[in-house]
Amino acid sequence: MSAIRALQSLGLIAMAEGMVLQQNGYVPECVGVATEAADFTCRNFVPKLGVDEDVATGSIQVPLNAYWTAKLGKTAGEPLTCLQASRRGGFVRSRAAEGGSVYVGGRAALSLRGQLPVR
C-alpha cells in the first residue's frame, strides 16, 4: 500500500479480463462462494481519499462499464459482470442505459442501520 500512496495520482485501478482468482498468493474471500463467471476483474485503490481499497461498493463500475463494453466487443446495454477482488469483494453487475446512465447491482451487506431526523 505504501507504493500506491506514493503515487502522484489520486489512486490506482488494476484490471484484467476474465476472473482472476489468485494474485501473488492472495485469494479474495468472495471467490470461495463464486457462483458465476466474470467478464473482468478489478481492484480499486484510493488511499489519498482515505480509502485504502474500495471493498466493492460499485462506484467504480460506472466508468469501467464503457471501457469493458468496448474492449470485449459487447453492445451498449449488454450486461457485464465484474469480480471486484478486494478482501470482502463481490460480484458486481452493470449495464449501460439510455442517456449515459449505468445500472449497477449485486448482493449487498448491511453495514449500518439507523435513523436520520429530517427537520
Side-chain angles (χ1 to χ4, degrees):
M1 187 58 58
S2 61
I4 294 172
R5 284 191 183 101
L7 294 173
Q8 295 299 311
S9 64
L10 188 60
L12 172 74
I13 302 168
M15 303 180 294
E17 186 173 336
M19 187 160 65
V20 178
L21 298 179
Q22 186 170 341
Q23 305 163 34
N24 296 327
Y26 166 79
V27 178
E29 293 172 12
C30 60
V31 170
V33 294
T35 58
E36 57 189 289
D39 294 303
F40 65 99
T41 299
C42 78
R43 294 182 74 184
N44 182 25
F45 304 91
V46 199
K48 289 189 178 163
L49 294 180
V51 180
D52 281 348
E53 183 172 8
D54 181 354
V55 294
T57 62
S59 60
I60 195 64
Q61 300 304 318
V62 173
L64 292 184
N65 180 277
Y67 174 83
W68 283 102
T69 294
K71 182 151 179 75
L72 297 173
K74 295 196 175 227
T75 58
E78 224 178 315
L80 293 173
T81 300
C82 169
L83 167 61
Q84 191 156 343
S86 62
R87 181 160 306 284
R88 185 173 77 192
F91 289 90
V92 183
R93 288 173 294 287
S94 65
R95 180 177 55 84
E98 301 230 356
S101 296
V102 175
Y103 295 108
V104 177
R107 292 181 169 237
L110 181 64
S111 59
L112 179 68
R113 182 182 300 249
Q115 296 181 350
L116 295 173
V118 178
R119 296 178 194 249

